[in-house]
Amino acid sequence: MTTLTIRRPDDWHLHLRDGQMLESVLPQSSEHFGRAIIMPNLVPPVVTTKLAASYRDRILAALPEGHDFTPLMTLYLTETTDPDDVEAGFRDGLITAVKLYPAGATTNSQSGVRDLKKVRPVLERMAKIGMPLCMHGEVTSPDVDIFDREAVFIETVLGPLRESLPELRIVLEHVTTADGVDYVQSQDKNIGATITTHHLMINRNAILVGGIKPHYYCLPVAKREKHRLALRKAATSGDARFFLGTDSAPHTDPLKESACGCAGVFCAPNTMACLATVFEQDGALDKLEAFASLNGPAYYGLQPNDATLKLTRQDEPVTFPGKIQVGEDEVTVFDPMIPIHWTVEVSP
Ligand code: NCD
Ligand code: ZN
């Protein structure tokens, strides 16, 4: 197959930041993607519908002419979130989902949740109105090995929560382990999971072999090869519970290339070309549309996009800019470390 036309994809987990960074990175997503779930971990975080409304306005103001892109806003869950504000935002159509960060789990998560009991009234309200909860699925206790954080989260937090509130619609975000895949596949309703492009392409060797490679460091951290293979199998299977969330998370190079570098991989610019390569390698190009364009809207109760995206296989490898400029600084683009042969065009 040398060309493939799919419905325009959506990104169900995206960091756009704010200000100068927002202006520089937004076009990289809005060119190919019709919609994206926008992460609320700004500094300070987006904790109320009022803050989300003004953040949405800033995103729309930064959108290049001719790009058709809808930001789907989320609220950052804290132990003082007001269930009435959440419900009002959801009913107005302003807020699509609530995001749970366990406190201290990742970049800008200091105001996250320490004790799930404190947010129980919000979760109960969300279950009642059918509003999805996006979960960063990692525990943060210092005695849990960082490579086990996801599996322990599923066992000690997610499992019990779903038993006590089965009607709550959950998105287990950026799954990185076979444990995550198995758990999601063992559940028959109210659960979906996003998978990033980079977790389909790299394992933890990318970060640690031949010198430390900060641009491959993100959270959840990439795991060993058997986990990457389990993610590949889930993503390319067509299983409606799995869909694309790039977790494209830009940080400027000085912040990544540091003695205490930030977590985050910036994969927005070449995500669709990389995914075409992954699905081609696995003989599953016919499942790319389900993963990138159909399963996500179906889980969120939305229609797929009308426009289409055309992917074309080139004989010669395609090159991408290694970095994009952000003001005086640069942000490094995800390097998949294998040749990519696909170009991507949006058609009306
Ligand atoms: C994200 C960021 O930089 O905001 N980083 C990351 O490694 N994915 C936060 C997150 O989604 O965990
Ligand atoms: Zn993220």
PDB file of all heavy atoms in Angstrom, residues 13-15 17 39 41 99 101 106 136 173-174 219-220 246-249, ligand 2:
ATOM      1  N   HIS A  13      -4.489  13.356  24.282  1.00  0.00           N
ATOM      2  CA  HIS A  13      -3.647  13.789  25.426  1.00  0.00           C
ATOM      3  C   HIS A  13      -2.526  14.670  24.887  1.00  0.00           C
ATOM      4  O   HIS A  13      -1.578  14.173  24.275  1.00  0.00           O
ATOM      5  CB  HIS A  13      -3.056  12.567  26.138  1.00  0.00           C
ATOM      6  CG  HIS A  13      -2.206  12.910  27.333  1.00  0.00           C
ATOM      7  ND1 HIS A  13      -2.352  12.275  28.544  1.00  0.00           N
ATOM      8  CD2 HIS A  13      -1.212  13.814  27.508  1.00  0.00           C
ATOM      9  CE1 HIS A  13      -1.482  12.764  29.412  1.00  0.00           C
ATOM     10  NE2 HIS A  13      -0.771  13.712  28.805  1.00  0.00           N
ATOM     11  N   LEU A  14      -2.645  15.975  25.105  1.00  0.00           N
ATOM     12  CA  LEU A  14      -1.682  16.909  24.498  1.00  0.00           C
ATOM     13  C   LEU A  14      -1.340  18.043  25.464  1.00  0.00           C
ATOM     14  O   LEU A  14      -2.240  18.619  26.090  1.00  0.00           O
ATOM     15  CB  LEU A  14      -2.296  17.486  23.214  1.00  0.00           C
ATOM     16  CG  LEU A  14      -1.479  18.553  22.483  1.00  0.00           C
ATOM     17  CD1 LEU A  14      -0.149  17.983  21.957  1.00  0.00           C
ATOM     18  CD2 LEU A  14      -2.285  19.142  21.317  1.00  0.00           C
ATOM     19  N   HIS A  15      -0.056  18.377  25.533  1.00  0.00           N
ATOM     20  CA  HIS A  15       0.394  19.548  26.305  1.00  0.00           C
ATOM     21  C   HIS A  15       0.725  20.672  25.335  1.00  0.00           C
ATOM     22  O   HIS A  15       1.640  20.531  24.514  1.00  0.00           O
ATOM     23  CB  HIS A  15       1.654  19.215  27.112  1.00  0.00           C
ATOM     24  CG  HIS A  15       1.415  18.134  28.118  1.00  0.00           C
ATOM     25  ND1 HIS A  15       1.024  18.382  29.415  1.00  0.00           N
ATOM     26  CD2 HIS A  15       1.497  16.781  28.007  1.00  0.00           C
ATOM     27  CE1 HIS A  15       0.882  17.239  30.059  1.00  0.00           C
ATOM     28  NE2 HIS A  15       1.155  16.247  29.227  1.00  0.00           N
ATOM     29  N   ARG A  17       1.004  24.000  26.612  1.00  0.00           N
ATOM     30  CA  ARG A  17       1.628  25.091  27.388  1.00  0.00           C
ATOM     31  C   ARG A  17       0.904  26.414  27.128  1.00  0.00           C
ATOM     32  O   ARG A  17      -0.247  26.444  26.757  1.00  0.00           O
ATOM     33  CB  ARG A  17       3.134  25.212  27.096  1.00  0.00           C
ATOM     34  CG  ARG A  17       3.906  23.902  27.006  1.00  0.00           C
ATOM     35  CD  ARG A  17       3.866  23.098  28.271  1.00  0.00           C
ATOM     36  NE  ARG A  17       4.813  21.990  28.222  1.00  0.00           N
ATOM     37  CZ  ARG A  17       4.721  20.899  28.964  1.00  0.00           C
ATOM     38  NH1 ARG A  17       3.711  20.721  29.802  1.00  0.00           N
ATOM     39  NH2 ARG A  17       5.630  19.945  28.888  1.00  0.00           N
ATOM     40  N   MET A  39      -4.124  19.226  28.123  1.00  0.00           N
ATOM     41  CA  MET A  39      -3.731  19.008  29.522  1.00  0.00           C
ATOM     42  C   MET A  39      -3.695  20.340  30.288  1.00  0.00           C
ATOM     43  O   MET A  39      -3.269  21.363  29.746  1.00  0.00           O
ATOM     44  CB  MET A  39      -2.365  18.323  29.571  1.00  0.00           C
ATOM     45  CG  MET A  39      -2.444  16.868  29.175  1.00  0.00           C
ATOM     46  SD  MET A  39      -3.454  15.952  30.366  1.00  0.00           S
ATOM     47  CE  MET A  39      -4.690  15.252  29.282  1.00  0.00           C
ATOM     48  N   ASN A  41      -1.966  21.146  33.062  1.00  0.00           N
ATOM     49  CA  ASN A  41      -0.874  21.341  34.035  1.00  0.00           C
ATOM     50  C   ASN A  41      -0.012  22.557  33.702  1.00  0.00           C
ATOM     51  O   ASN A  41       1.200  22.469  33.578  1.00  0.00           O
ATOM     52  CB  ASN A  41      -0.016  20.067  34.178  1.00  0.00           C
ATOM     53  CG  ASN A  41       0.686  19.660  32.888  1.00  0.00           C
ATOM     54  OD1 ASN A  41       0.222  19.971  31.798  1.00  0.00           O
ATOM     55  ND2 ASN A  41       1.801  18.974  33.014  1.00  0.00           N
ATOM     56  N   LYS A  99      -8.840  15.906  34.868  1.00  0.00           N
ATOM     57  CA  LYS A  99      -7.555  15.205  34.870  1.00  0.00           C
ATOM     58  C   LYS A  99      -7.072  14.974  36.298  1.00  0.00           C
ATOM     59  O   LYS A  99      -6.977  15.915  37.080  1.00  0.00           O
ATOM     60  CB  LYS A  99      -6.532  16.059  34.118  1.00  0.00           C
ATOM     61  CG  LYS A  99      -5.094  15.572  34.235  1.00  0.00           C
ATOM     62  CD  LYS A  99      -4.869  14.323  33.405  1.00  0.00           C
ATOM     63  CE  LYS A  99      -3.502  13.720  33.707  1.00  0.00           C
ATOM     64  NZ  LYS A  99      -2.660  13.574  32.549  1.00  0.00           N
ATOM     65  N   TYR A 101      -3.986  14.026  38.512  1.00  0.00           N
ATOM     66  CA  TYR A 101      -2.551  13.802  38.707  1.00  0.00           C
ATOM     67  C   TYR A 101      -2.343  13.418  40.160  1.00  0.00           C
ATOM     68  O   TYR A 101      -2.647  14.226  41.051  1.00  0.00           O
ATOM     69  CB  TYR A 101      -1.748  15.093  38.476  1.00  0.00           C
ATOM     70  CG  TYR A 101      -1.612  15.530  37.054  1.00  0.00           C
ATOM     71  CD1 TYR A 101      -2.365  16.601  36.569  1.00  0.00           C
ATOM     72  CD2 TYR A 101      -0.704  14.927  36.200  1.00  0.00           C
ATOM     73  CE1 TYR A 101      -2.225  17.035  35.258  1.00  0.00           C
ATOM     74  CE2 TYR A 101      -0.566  15.354  34.883  1.00  0.00           C
ATOM     75  CZ  TYR A 101      -1.319  16.408  34.426  1.00  0.00           C
ATOM     76  OH  TYR A 101      -1.183  16.836  33.129  1.00  0.00           O
ATOM     77  N   THR A 106       4.455  13.875  38.249  1.00  0.00           N
ATOM     78  CA  THR A 106       5.084  14.302  36.994  1.00  0.00           C
ATOM     79  C   THR A 106       5.225  15.816  36.957  1.00  0.00           C
ATOM     80  O   THR A 106       5.009  16.487  37.964  1.00  0.00           O
ATOM     81  CB  THR A 106       4.266  13.731  35.795  1.00  0.00           C
ATOM     82  OG1 THR A 106       4.928  14.047  34.579  1.00  0.00           O
ATOM     83  CG2 THR A 106       2.857  14.294  35.747  1.00  0.00           C
ATOM     84  N   HIS A 136      -3.571  10.032  35.275  1.00  0.00           N
ATOM     85  CA  HIS A 136      -2.135   9.735  35.201  1.00  0.00           C
ATOM     86  C   HIS A 136      -1.926   8.552  36.147  1.00  0.00           C
ATOM     87  O   HIS A 136      -1.933   8.721  37.369  1.00  0.00           O
ATOM     88  CB  HIS A 136      -1.301  10.952  35.611  1.00  0.00           C
ATOM     89  CG  HIS A 136       0.169  10.697  35.490  1.00  0.00           C
ATOM     90  ND1 HIS A 136       0.948  11.296  34.534  1.00  0.00           N
ATOM     91  CD2 HIS A 136       0.992   9.867  36.180  1.00  0.00           C
ATOM     92  CE1 HIS A 136       2.203  10.849  34.646  1.00  0.00           C
ATOM     93  NE2 HIS A 136       2.245   9.983  35.637  1.00  0.00           N
ATOM     94  N   GLU A 173      -4.410   6.952  31.101  1.00  0.00           N
ATOM     95  CA  GLU A 173      -3.628   7.654  30.088  1.00  0.00           C
ATOM     96  C   GLU A 173      -2.244   7.067  29.927  1.00  0.00           C
ATOM     97  O   GLU A 173      -1.673   6.525  30.866  1.00  0.00           O
ATOM     98  CB  GLU A 173      -3.507   9.110  30.492  1.00  0.00           C
ATOM     99  CG  GLU A 173      -4.876   9.753  30.548  1.00  0.00           C
ATOM    100  CD  GLU A 173      -4.721  11.233  30.555  1.00  0.00           C
ATOM    101  OE1 GLU A 173      -4.339  11.782  31.585  1.00  0.00           O
ATOM    102  OE2 GLU A 173      -4.941  11.823  29.497  1.00  0.00           O
ATOM    103  N   HIS A 174      -1.725   7.259  28.728  1.00  0.00           N
ATOM    104  CA  HIS A 174      -0.367   6.847  28.372  1.00  0.00           C
ATOM    105  C   HIS A 174       0.038   5.535  29.063  1.00  0.00           C
ATOM    106  O   HIS A 174       0.986   5.494  29.836  1.00  0.00           O
ATOM    107  CB  HIS A 174       0.672   7.949  28.618  1.00  0.00           C
ATOM    108  CG  HIS A 174       0.518   8.779  29.862  1.00  0.00           C
ATOM    109  ND1 HIS A 174       0.361   8.224  31.103  1.00  0.00           N
ATOM    110  CD2 HIS A 174       0.529  10.111  30.043  1.00  0.00           C
ATOM    111  CE1 HIS A 174       0.274   9.200  31.983  1.00  0.00           C
ATOM    112  NE2 HIS A 174       0.365  10.343  31.390  1.00  0.00           N
ATOM    113  N   LEU A 219       7.422  10.795  31.450  1.00  0.00           N
ATOM    114  CA  LEU A 219       6.699  10.035  32.465  1.00  0.00           C
ATOM    115  C   LEU A 219       5.308   9.711  31.946  1.00  0.00           C
ATOM    116  O   LEU A 219       4.673  10.594  31.356  1.00  0.00           O
ATOM    117  CB  LEU A 219       6.607  10.854  33.761  1.00  0.00           C
ATOM    118  CG  LEU A 219       7.951  10.964  34.492  1.00  0.00           C
ATOM    119  CD1 LEU A 219       7.869  11.984  35.619  1.00  0.00           C
ATOM    120  CD2 LEU A 219       8.396   9.603  35.026  1.00  0.00           C
ATOM    121  N   PRO A 220       4.818   8.515  32.144  1.00  0.00           N
ATOM    122  CA  PRO A 220       5.547   7.381  32.689  1.00  0.00           C
ATOM    123  C   PRO A 220       6.775   7.048  31.831  1.00  0.00           C
ATOM    124  O   PRO A 220       6.703   7.101  30.595  1.00  0.00           O
ATOM    125  CB  PRO A 220       4.534   6.230  32.632  1.00  0.00           C
ATOM    126  CG  PRO A 220       3.207   6.870  32.420  1.00  0.00           C
ATOM    127  CD  PRO A 220       3.445   8.176  31.771  1.00  0.00           C
ATOM    128  N   THR A 246      -0.926  11.511  22.214  1.00  0.00           N
ATOM    129  CA  THR A 246       0.520  11.606  21.959  1.00  0.00           C
ATOM    130  C   THR A 246       1.318  11.929  23.214  1.00  0.00           C
ATOM    131  O   THR A 246       2.481  11.582  23.315  1.00  0.00           O
ATOM    132  CB  THR A 246       0.851  12.696  20.922  1.00  0.00           C
ATOM    133  OG1 THR A 246       0.510  13.981  21.475  1.00  0.00           O
ATOM    134  CG2 THR A 246       0.127  12.451  19.613  1.00  0.00           C
ATOM    135  N   ASP A 247       0.680  12.644  24.173  1.00  0.00           N
ATOM    136  CA  ASP A 247       1.418  13.179  25.321  1.00  0.00           C
ATOM    137  C   ASP A 247       2.610  14.007  24.848  1.00  0.00           C
ATOM    138  O   ASP A 247       3.651  14.039  25.509  1.00  0.00           O
ATOM    139  CB  ASP A 247       1.868  12.062  26.278  1.00  0.00           C
ATOM    140  CG  ASP A 247       2.268  12.613  27.653  1.00  0.00           C
ATOM    141  OD1 ASP A 247       1.985  13.793  27.938  1.00  0.00           O
ATOM    142  OD2 ASP A 247       2.876  11.850  28.426  1.00  0.00           O
ATOM    143  N   SER A 248       2.458  14.651  23.691  1.00  0.00           N
ATOM    144  CA  SER A 248       3.520  15.547  23.227  1.00  0.00           C
ATOM    145  C   SER A 248       3.687  16.625  24.301  1.00  0.00           C
ATOM    146  O   SER A 248       2.735  17.323  24.646  1.00  0.00           O
ATOM    147  CB  SER A 248       3.101  16.152  21.883  1.00  0.00           C
ATOM    148  OG  SER A 248       4.104  17.032  21.419  1.00  0.00           O
ATOM    149  N   ALA A 249       4.894  16.720  24.863  1.00  0.00           N
ATOM    150  CA  ALA A 249       5.111  17.538  26.071  1.00  0.00           C
ATOM    151  C   ALA A 249       6.415  18.326  25.924  1.00  0.00           C
ATOM    152  O   ALA A 249       7.475  17.881  26.361  1.00  0.00           O
ATOM    153  CB  ALA A 249       5.149  16.637  27.299  1.00  0.00           C
TER     154      ALA A 249
HETATM  155 ZN    ZN B   2       0.998  14.288  29.619  1.00  0.00          ZN
END
